[in-house]
Amino acid sequence: MKHHEVDAALAVVGEGVKADSLESETLDFKLVAESPKATFNLISDALVCFVNAHGGTLVLGVDDKATDRVQALRGVPESYTVEGVRKGIFDRTSPPITAFVEERVVEGARLILITVPQGAMPHSNAAGLATRRLGKECLPFPPHQQREVMIARGQVDWSADASSLSVSQLSAVEFERLRRLLIASGRDHLAELADRALLESLRLIAPNGSVTNAAVLLLADEELIPRVIPSYGYSYQFRPTSGSEATGRTRGTRPLIAAIQAMTDAMESRREVWPLNLAGGVQLQLTDYPSEAARELVINAFIHRSYETGGTVDIEHSPERMIITSPGGLVSGVTPANILTHPSTPRNRLLTETVSVLQLAERTGQGVDRAYREMLRIGKEPPLFEDHGTLVRATLAGGIGNAAFVRFISDLPLRASRDINILLSLTHLRHSRSIDAFELAEIIQRAPVEAQEVLRMMLDDYSLIAPTKRSASKQFPTYRLRAEVLAAMSRSVSYRHVDVDDMDRKVIEHVREYGFVTNQTIRRLFDLHVYAARDLLNSLREREIIDKIGDARGGAGVKYGPGPRFPKSKS
């Protein structure tokens, strides 16, 4: 808890404001109890609750129910010295907590501020009870939750624990597969080592001489792995429609690298691809499930799952959606609402680092950012993550990507076309007419100030958006797509402007003056590529503002004149 936050709370306590309403996950107020023993027990319980969560500050000497300032600032007797309070806490916590204790006099009331940081390991009170502060409550902190928190803080790593196997029991075939990956990743010096030396270099040998659990997952054969790690396994099924019977099924216990390859091969064999031709002879691909997005999520499911929880990694594939399920909830601190921006907290750190060395997946960001980027770049929604406590479900939406959006993105500067925050902003603006920093903050999982910086970059650096007239002078304006951007994105946008915009007006004025307009004219007027110009013309045709003239079916000769809803001249 920062001092200025405590000061701000103390400044308003009792000024018609109850201290209880100012309490938070990192701030609490208490009164001295009837005896020093009871007081120290009260303080110790509160600090254990703080230290097992995010740390915090306890202010002793404040009545949290009083609305009158004099009644609220009750103070602490001089008999409670700073050293005495510190020792009382130390003696009543396990492992002992050494707190930061200071006196503070507020309007004649002597208060004691006691601050603790987040603990490196779980703590309990004198009775052996461990609690953790969530919101304003202290809730039980059972052993399985303690272990998850220690995993998140990098203090427990199941994958680095010793297994029951020796190096000689591992598979020669899998060693060869491992060496091929090392060579492909430019680590020939490791690939040339003998088996044991190779494992030692990768830290896959435990202190007792046996191989680690990570080594078993990577290098034991499929008959041996289930005997050592009973929870290991995977399944894949393909359904022609989401509600029909599966027509393709795979289930197995092959070692991790081979399993990932088998799963990605199964998905790839059923992936739908449509070629997309761009100007200049460039050809891109539209697909239902981008290979890199699906592969990253499959790898995540294998390396970040809980192997201390029953269940297998399961993939359900249909044209409508792909669902990848893995046992164990998200690691403590990670939620679907912050998974894109939360610092990497691998559950199985050694396994994750080894897979990173093999360049099978991104270590930083857990590959989630890549899955987001690849889905967004083809005009689709990002992955949907759900944490059900005992399992995590990642869902990719099926169906073809959006050709108009892909064409638009391909024309952006490379940096913008690969910026997840910009892609998320543009995706939102495909379905909503406007956006502001507060909306975007939730979408990109960042603070509103950071979201405003993204919008500023889209405005100043790339000219993608413009502030609305009513909000332009505000600190956090509301933005819309610029007219030419809206036209270029055209059919990827799910809404239509009811009023004729500036681009429409220019086209109408040209048709009124010259009698017709062509694709080439549109390109010259607005500096658009051929496809964006075509989409603008199609939009005007759909609204019956213009209509095709003559018998030409395509090409440069196609002309467009006034349509049934072409505006009449005011004159």
Side-chain angles (χ1 to χ4, degrees):
M1 188 73 184
K2 297 178 181 177
H3 277 288
H4 68 84
E5 293 175 294
V6 177
D7 294 341
L10 287 174
V12 297
V13 163
E15 301 285 0
V17 179
K18 294 181 181 180
D20 175 73
S21 68
L22 301 170
E23 292 176 345
S24 67
E25 201 160 64
T26 56
L27 178 63
D28 199 4
F29 296 94
K30 299 287 184 189
L31 283 172
V32 173
E34 66 276 5
S35 68
K37 179 180 178 181
T39 300
F40 292 144
N41 285 339
L42 183 73
I43 296 170
S44 298
D45 288 350
L47 294 183
V48 163
C49 202
F50 274 141
V51 84
N52 285 336
H54 303 291
T57 296
L58 169 67
V59 181
L60 186 64
V62 176
D63 185 343
D64 65 359
K65 302 299 182 186
T67 56
D68 177 79
R69 192 150 176 85
V70 174
Q71 293 298 317
L73 301 175
R74 297 276 290 276
V76 180
E78 294 289 341
S79 57
Y80 288 89
T81 65
V82 168
E83 284 303 319
V85 170
R86 189 179 289 120
K87 185 176 187 306
I89 297 165
F90 188 90
D91 292 342
R92 289 169 173 78
T93 52
S94 178
I97 295 173
T98 301
F100 300 95
V101 184
E102 64 172 299
E103 291 182 351
R104 178 79 62 86
V105 177
V106 179
E107 297 182 17
R110 177 179 180 261
L111 307 178
I112 292 182
L113 277 59
I114 309 159
T115 301
V116 291
Q118 182 184 76
M121 59 189 302
H123 291 255
S124 60
N125 62 13
L129 177 65
T131 56
R132 179 169 55 156
R133 194 168 177 94
L134 294 174
K136 294 165 60 174
E137 293 186 87
C138 279
L139 302 177
F141 191 28
H144 74 277
Q145 289 184 6
Q146 294 179 30
R147 183 171 176 82
E148 283 297 314
V149 168
M150 292 177 74
I151 288 170
R153 296 176 185 173
Q155 296 164 326
V156 172
D157 181 4
W158 171 89
S159 68
D161 289 345
S163 72
S164 59
L165 299 185
S166 64
V167 177
S168 62
Q169 292 176 281
L170 300 180
S171 167
V173 172
E174 297 309 318
F175 264 112
E176 185 60 28
R177 192 192 308 273
L178 181 69
R179 287 189 168 91
R180 286 198 300 270
L181 286 172
L182 287 170
I183 292 171
S185 64
R187 291 173 170 81
D188 303 53
H189 62 290
L190 291 177
E192 293 169 358
L193 296 174
D195 290 354
R196 187 173 191 87
L198 172 57
L199 295 185
E200 288 173 347
S201 296
L202 295 174
R203 298 188 298 111
L204 295 174
I205 299 289
N208 68 357
S210 65
V211 299
T212 63
N213 287 326
V216 175
L217 289 172
L218 293 165
L219 297 166
D221 61 37
E222 59 185 312
E223 289 78 26
L224 191 54
I225 293 178
R227 282 187 260 160
V228 181
I229 306 171
S231 61
Y232 181 71
Y234 55 84
S235 72
Y236 169 88
Q237 57 180 320
F238 176 79
R239 300 176 186 272
T241 64
S242 58
S244 63
E245 289 291 324
T247 58
R249 297 177 186 270
T250 302
R251 183 176 294 276
T253 56
R254 296 179 67 186
L256 191 139
I257 298 173
I260 290 171
Q261 190 62 55
M263 295 295 94
T264 53
D265 285 349
M267 294 186 301
E268 193 69 16
S269 67
R270 294 176 173 88
R271 190 165 69 97
E272 297 289 338
V273 177
W274 295 264
L276 179 64
N277 295 316
L278 302 182
V282 177
Q283 188 177 78
L284 298 179
Q285 288 184 342
L286 287 179
T287 182
D288 50 357
Y289 301 108
S291 296
E292 288 191 8
R295 180 178 174 80
E296 286 292 343
L297 295 182
V298 169
I299 293 172
N300 269 7
F302 276 95
I303 66 176
H304 296 301
R305 64 155 288 183
S306 170
Y307 286 96
E308 299 171 284
T309 302
T312 57
V313 171
D314 300 317
I315 302 170
E316 186 175 323
H317 184 178
S318 72
E320 291 80 17
R321 66 188 62 87
M322 182 182 292
I323 302 172
I324 302 167
T325 306
S326 57
L330 292 170
V331 176
S332 179
V334 181
T335 69
N338 69 14
I339 193 169
L340 183 60
T341 54
H342 194 281
S344 179
T345 51
R347 175 180 272 112
N348 302 298
R349 188 172 297 275
L350 177 60
L351 179 61
T352 303
E353 290 174 351
T354 307
V355 168
S356 178
V357 168
L358 301 174
Q359 295 188 357
L360 287 179
E362 292 183 352
R363 178 184 171 190
T364 305
Q366 307 172 57
V368 171
D369 55 346
R370 179 180 288 180
Y372 262 70
R373 183 182 297 110
E374 296 308 312
M375 289 292 284
L376 293 167
R377 278 171 56 81
I378 63 167
K380 301 185 71 171
E381 294 299 313
L384 171 66
F385 292 92
E386 301 169 86
D387 184 356
H388 295 276
T390 57
L391 60 87
V392 175
R393 177 178 290 125
T395 303
L396 297 178
I400 188 174
N402 188 283
F405 190 74
V406 171
R407 287 194 174 102
F408 174 75
I409 292 299
S410 70
D411 281 343
L412 290 178
L414 183 61
R415 183 177 176 185
S417 71
R418 299 193 64 78
D419 188 307
I420 292 176
N421 296 328
I422 291 178
L423 290 171
L424 283 167
S425 304
L426 291 172
T427 298
H428 175 83
L429 287 168
R430 287 178 55 203
H431 310 296
S432 176
R433 294 177 185 273
S434 63
I435 193 169
D436 61 28
F438 298 100
E439 286 179 296
L440 183 58
E442 188 172 340
I443 295 167
I444 67 175
Q445 302 178 7
R446 295 184 181 276
V449 173
E450 295 175 273
Q452 180 59 37
E453 180 58 25
V454 173
L455 293 169
R456 184 211 60 76
M457 182 168 57
M458 293 175 67
L459 171 69
D460 295 339
D461 298 353
Y462 303 114
S463 298
L464 295 170
I465 55 176
T468 61
K469 291 181 180 179
R470 290 186 179 182
S471 68
S473 61
K474 295 182 179 179
Q475 182 182 4
F476 295 114
T478 298
Y479 296 89
R480 287 185 174 179
L481 292 172
R482 293 173 65 90
E484 60 270 27
V485 174
L486 184 62
M489 289 175 63
S490 60
R491 295 192 177 191
S492 69
V493 177
S494 60
Y495 57 87
R496 292 272 190 252
H497 282 293
V498 176
D499 298 327
V500 178
D501 62 19
D502 290 339
M503 296 184 78
D504 290 350
R505 273 194 292 272
K506 289 181 181 179
V507 174
I508 290 167
E509 288 169 4
H510 185 90
V511 173
R512 186 171 286 139
E513 183 174 355
Y514 296 99
F516 67 91
V517 70
T518 66
N519 185 290
Q520 186 177 21
T521 305
I522 296 294
R523 283 160 25 215
R524 283 202 312 267
L525 279 173
F526 304 114
D527 192 25
L528 298 176
H529 60 64
V530 63
Y531 298 108
R534 179 204 62 189
D535 291 336
L536 174 56
L537 290 168
N538 284 338
S539 172
L540 290 162
R541 288 188 68 193
E542 287 171 4
R543 287 176 282 151
E544 299 184 332
I545 294 172
I546 62 173
D547 204 356
K548 192 166 72 169
I549 300 173
D551 299 326
R553 295 188 177 183
V558 178
K559 298 179 180 180
Y560 301 89
R565 295 179 182 272
F566 189 84
K568 295 180 179 179
S569 174
K570 291 182 179 180
S571 61

